[in-house]
Amino acid sequence: MLFDYYTLKIIWWLFVGVLLIGFALLDGFDLGVGTLLPFVAKTDEQRRVLLNSIGPTWEGNQVWLITAGGALFAAWPLVYAAAFSGFYWAMLLVLFALFFRPVGFEYRSKIEDPRWRKAWDWGLFVGGFVPALVFGVAFGNLLQGVPFQYDEFVRPQYTGSFWALLNPFALLAGIISLTMLVMHGAVYLQMRTEGDIQVRAQKAVRLFGVVFMAGFAIAGVWQAYGIDGYRIVSSPDFGTAFSPLAKKVEIAAGAWMQNYSTCGWTILAPVLGFAGGILAIFLSGTNRPGFAFLCSGASVAGVILTAGFAMFPFVLPSSTNPSGSLTVYDATSSHRTLNLMFIAVVVFLPIVLAYTSWVYRVMRGKVTEEKIKEETHTAY
């Protein structure tokens, strides 16, 4: 074995975090562009500019979501089982919304009827808006605890409902996720387009960036003073395999802030979230979209890390039976499984990153209305 069991548990927490951040960074701006499609672009050519700015890469970007789901299944099977059953209707809603994307990209411009194209424009809007919102709502519910418990056969039983997921804090988290990704997508559009589209994208960066910053600040205060967190009181050796029910967990006020006080360096995550967002808005306003895109990406990573650091080592806290909450230490696969997957990641992840970088290098440059008119029969 390359690493001991405890170390591999931590490594896979980091790997899953990297996959979530990779999805938010890459597919996130795709979702943002889709959400902006009916508003930033006013003519058919302009909307085709938006579609072709992400058309060559959106499918590859969405693979990060599939990979994250696969990694969750392989590394944290108990989390996969409990989360996908508890968030079943929410996940179906995301899935149905995502159906609009491949069909919309492929068929939207095949027929010149304005009604046909407008219908698919709104379909692509739904395919961007709904996932961006629901993913944030899911994180908001994780921070409050999910109503599930284990029976005597260690089978997860979800005791909540879909409508209960739409509580005030979760909706605020959804707004943060939505505005964050729309800001990220608007910066990308400012970088890849010109003329009227670029001007409108610049205004969108400012509008959604300000809402995102305000929401992130409110959520931080709410999380610190208005939401009880979870902490482990007693547990078996973290380096061994044990049942989730073998530990004792308590709910306490301010527990989600404990990691920030004991590990001071973790405060860099929210600082990165705020600083990246502020710099993205400023650099966009001074027409430096390339640097603004890097800063908006840093802000996205900072927001995800903020939630991850606050909850560690919890992955899926249970509001019904806190001691049955799933953590990095008791929700993982076997030592051998984590070890074999680690080897696969070390081999293949650099290849994926290198190929992704090459694709973006080849596809760089502005997408213009003139280019769309010249390639009208081959462009999206």
Side-chain angles (χ1 to χ4, degrees):
M1 298 293 180
L2 293 176
F3 295 101
D4 61 82
Y5 199 17
Y6 174 83
T7 302
L8 279 171
K9 290 177 180 181
I10 302 300
I11 288 174
W12 272 99
W13 178 78
L14 294 172
F15 276 163
V16 172
V18 168
L19 288 172
L20 290 175
I21 291 173
F23 165 70
L25 290 178
L26 296 177
D27 203 37
F29 70 76
D30 288 347
L31 298 177
V33 171
T35 304
L36 289 169
L37 179 62
F39 310 106
V40 170
K42 300 300 182 181
T43 66
D44 182 64
E45 287 77 15
Q46 290 180 353
R47 289 175 180 171
R48 294 186 72 182
V49 167
L50 264 66
L51 294 178
N52 283 274
S53 70
I54 60 175
T57 55
W58 77 269
E59 289 177 293
N61 293 341
Q62 195 157 294
V63 171
W64 285 85
L65 175 61
I66 300 170
T67 305
L72 193 67
F73 171 75
W76 295 336
L78 296 181
V79 175
Y80 182 91
F84 276 63
S85 60
F87 295 147
Y88 181 77
W89 291 108
M91 292 297 105
L92 273 184
L93 181 62
V94 170
L95 183 62
F96 288 143
L98 289 175
F99 285 164
F100 286 108
R101 301 184 77 195
V103 184
F105 273 103
E106 294 298 330
Y107 292 101
R108 184 255 180 209
S109 298
K110 299 295 184 184
I111 299 176
E112 295 187 5
D113 187 342
R115 293 171 299 177
W116 169 270
R117 294 188 174 186
K118 186 176 181 179
W120 283 114
D121 289 340
W122 284 105
L124 290 166
F125 163 79
V126 170
F129 176 88
V130 171
L133 180 69
V134 172
F135 289 142
V137 170
F139 266 94
N141 279 281
L142 289 180
L143 286 165
Q144 296 175 94
V146 179
F148 78 96
Q149 61 186 357
Y150 285 97
D151 61 16
E152 65 272 20
F153 300 107
V154 196
R155 295 177 301 189
Q157 295 181 331
Y158 183 72
T159 57
S161 66
F162 170 78
W163 299 111
L165 298 176
L166 305 179
N167 55 79
F169 181 80
L171 290 174
L172 174 61
I175 291 172
I176 294 170
S177 172
L178 175 64
T179 53
M180 175 181 71
L181 297 183
V182 172
M183 178 193 73
H184 194 44
V187 174
Y188 178 80
L189 283 177
Q190 187 182 356
M191 183 174 60
R192 293 295 310 278
T193 62
E194 58 184 28
D196 292 340
I197 301 176
Q198 189 180 56
V199 172
R200 295 190 194 106
Q202 188 178 40
K203 293 179 180 178
V205 173
R206 183 166 59 250
L207 171 62
F208 288 98
V210 169
V211 176
F212 159 55
M213 291 283 96
F216 190 37
I218 294 170
V221 175
W222 195 341
Q223 175 184 312
Y225 300 104
I227 294 178
D228 293 337
Y230 293 67
R231 63 185 173 205
I232 299 175
V233 177
S234 63
S235 174
D237 182 3
F238 289 149
T240 62
F242 59 91
S243 167
L245 299 174
K247 65 182 181 299
K248 183 177 180 181
V249 174
E250 69 174 5
I251 300 177
W256 284 150
M257 306 304 292
Q258 183 175 333
N259 287 336
Y260 291 110
S261 59
T262 56
C263 301
W265 59 269
T266 56
I267 198 67
L268 293 175
V271 169
L272 184 65
F274 281 112
I278 292 170
L279 284 173
I281 296 170
F282 171 75
L283 292 169
S284 169
T286 56
N287 204 26
R288 287 180 281 183
F291 290 111
F293 186 71
L294 294 176
C295 290
S296 68
S299 182
V300 170
V303 170
I304 295 174
L305 289 172
T306 297
F309 288 157
M311 291 180 60
F312 183 85
F314 290 90
V315 180
L316 193 68
S318 169
S319 59
T320 305
N321 178 18
S323 293
S325 300
L326 297 175
T327 71
V328 171
Y329 306 119
D330 56 22
T332 58
S333 294
S334 68
H335 190 183
R336 180 179 294 275
T337 299
L338 296 184
N339 196 68
L340 291 174
M341 290 196 305
F342 173 79
I343 296 172
V345 169
V346 170
V347 172
F348 291 107
L349 185 59
I351 298 174
V352 172
L353 292 176
Y355 174 74
T356 301
S357 300
W358 175 78
V359 168
Y360 277 95
R361 180 175 176 80
V362 171
M363 299 297 177
R364 70 187 186 280
K366 301 283 188 179
V367 181
T368 65
E369 293 182 56
E370 290 72 22
K371 184 177 180 180
I372 296 300
K373 292 176 182 178
E374 292 175 1
E375 302 174 1
T376 185
H377 296 297
T378 56
Y380 285 108

